[in-house]
Amino acid sequence: EIAFEEATVEQFLLGIGSHHAGQLPAHKAFVESLYRAQLMKIIFATETLAAGINMPARTTCICAMAKRGDGGTINLLETSNLLQMAGRAGRRGMDTDGTCILVSTPFENEDEAASILTSEIKPITSQFSPS
């Protein structure tokens, strides 16, 4: 059994949660369960939520168009990653459309958003190798 901090429980009761790689798997699974039960109004998440599991939303809000890379460098998101996150907006069988909001920051603005969205999608190379 893994306990949640009281502040986190209060957020859950308000329908607010988070989902990121720094959390314990049990905590992420709990947030996913609440989401599937439609008890979450908003989840603050990283791109791992968009790539890993099927949890579409009516609206996605992308607050950063860059992420920290190897060696601590900051790089703009790949076009495929941004489209994957944006593509979570609109729930199949529930919504006729979805909304994706891209938030401008002092470091990223509409020019960077346009660049990412209009760049060529790089081919995906599988990292899986059968044993």
Side-chain angles (χ1 to χ4, degrees):
E1 187 173 305
I2 302 171
F4 287 102
E5 293 180 13
E6 189 165 329
T8 303
V9 173
E10 290 177 23
Q11 291 171 347
F12 288 155
L13 293 172
L14 295 171
I16 301 168
S18 63
H19 189 286
H20 56 82
Q23 290 177 312
L24 294 170
H27 286 192
K28 289 190 288 189
F30 183 69
V31 170
E32 293 165 17
S33 297
L34 292 175
Y35 188 88
R36 283 193 201 93
Q38 298 182 3
L39 297 172
M40 286 296 197
K41 296 176 186 172
I42 185 166
I43 296 177
F44 293 89
T46 60
E47 68 185 78
T48 57
L49 179 66
I53 55 177
N54 183 20
M55 288 178 54
R58 181 178 300 125
T59 302
T60 60
C61 181
I62 300 171
C63 298
M65 291 175 276
K67 69 176 190 172
R68 190 171 306 281
D70 294 332
T73 61
I74 304 290
N75 303 309
L76 289 177
L77 293 172
E78 296 286 340
T79 301
S80 58
N81 290 351
L82 183 61
L83 292 176
Q84 178 74 18
M85 291 188 290
R88 291 296 181 194
R91 300 165 297 174
R92 188 174 304 189
M94 297 176 74
D95 300 320
T96 56
D97 59 356
T99 303
C100 177
I101 301 165
L102 295 175
V103 178
S104 180
T105 72
F107 309 104
E108 309 143 351
N109 58 33
E110 61 274 2
D111 293 333
E112 282 79 10
S115 173
I116 296 170
L117 291 169
T118 58
S119 292
E120 184 177 334
I121 298 174
K122 295 178 181 174
I124 297 171
T125 305
S126 175
Q127 300 299 314
F128 178 74
S129 58
S131 53

